């Protein structure tokens, strides 16, 4: 597992429309394994990909580092259950943010009220970059997928 971005597969992201994402969105470029993770802010709401729910813990882990980097703290992934029993995984800065979310979303619960995954403390890495990729970098990255 990459010590910086918490995954084994260094070319797994972007998951959806990878070429479009790499060409048009700002990327968090892992300073350790050089994996690109979308860190673009939605222009309308100011949200980033990590602000949304994920279908699995594994997918949520792919975006956790962008949350940590954005907040400059070790965020956690929490398992959320809806009224109909469907599970999702959501990243929060801390338990307080989780509680605010649950108060606003009455049909959702977090049974454990603790993260199912969280890195051990926040750390900066010297070779990390936040920027858009060049066309050559995009071609190289896509060829390595």
């Amino acid at each position: 597992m990459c010590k910086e971005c918490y995954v084994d597969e260094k070319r797994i992201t972007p998951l959806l429309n990878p070429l479009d994402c790499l060409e048009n969105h700002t990327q968090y470029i892992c300073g350790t394994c050089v994996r690109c993770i979308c860190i673009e802010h939605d222009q309308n709401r100011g949200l980033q990909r990590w602000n949304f729910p994920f279908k699995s813990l594994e997918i949520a882990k792919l975006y956790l580092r962008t949350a940590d980097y954005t907040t400059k703290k070790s965020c956690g992934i929490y398992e959320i259950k809806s009224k109909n029993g469907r599970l999702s995984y959501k990243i929060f800065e801390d338990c307080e943010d989780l509680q605010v979310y649950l108060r606003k979303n009455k049909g959702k619960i977090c049974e454990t009220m603790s993260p199912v995954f969280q890195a051990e403390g926040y750390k900066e890495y010297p070779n990390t970059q936040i920027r858009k990729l060049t066309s050559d970098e995009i071609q190289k990255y896509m060829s390595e997928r």
Side-chain angles (χ1 to χ4, degrees):
M1 179 172 84
C2 178
K3 64 182 180 181
E4 180 176 349
C5 70
Y6 324 124
V7 297
D8 296 321
E9 300 174 65
K10 51 187 192 174
R11 297 295 178 266
I12 193 166
T13 47
L15 293 177
L16 302 173
N17 304 315
L19 189 57
D20 181 59
C21 184
L22 293 171
E23 288 176 339
N24 298 304
H25 295 164
T26 304
Q27 302 293 318
Y28 174 100
I29 304 166
C30 178
T32 304
C33 73
V34 197
R35 179 169 71 97
C36 292
I37 314 164
C38 184
I39 196 167
E40 186 78 18
H41 283 83
D42 174 270
Q43 292 183 9
N44 296 328
R45 298 179 285 176
L47 300 174
Q48 293 172 277
R49 179 64 187 104
W50 67 266
N51 295 121
F52 296 95
F54 298 94
K55 292 179 183 179
S56 71
L57 173 60
E58 292 76 25
I59 295 172
K61 279 177 70 176
L62 298 175
Y63 294 90
L64 181 59
R65 181 60 189 171
T66 59
D68 291 354
Y69 181 83
T70 300
T71 62
K72 303 294 187 221
K73 63 193 285 188
S74 180
C75 297
I77 300 171
Y78 295 79
E79 185 177 80
I80 306 294
K81 188 186 282 187
S82 65
K83 271 196 264 192
N84 64 8
R86 189 177 63 173
L87 294 178
S88 63
Y89 296 83
K90 195 153 169 35
I91 299 170
F92 294 99
E93 284 188 51
D94 51 35
C95 193
E96 187 177 310
D97 282 349
L98 167 66
Q99 291 171 347
V100 168
Y101 173 81
L102 294 174
R103 281 194 294 274
K104 290 180 182 176
N105 295 274
K106 299 292 185 194
K108 301 196 185 276
I109 61 167
C110 178
E111 292 176 344
T112 64
M113 295 303 288
S114 61
V116 292
F117 182 84
Q118 185 173 29
E120 193 176 311
Y122 176 74
K123 181 179 176 187
E124 293 277 342
Y125 291 87
N127 298 317
T128 299
Q129 297 178 47
I130 307 297
R131 62 177 175 81
K132 291 194 176 185
L133 300 179
T134 67
S135 57
D136 288 344
E137 289 172 321
I138 294 167
Q139 286 180 335
K140 183 177 187 306
Y141 192 86
M142 290 297 289
S143 74
E144 294 173 349
R145 284 183 62 125

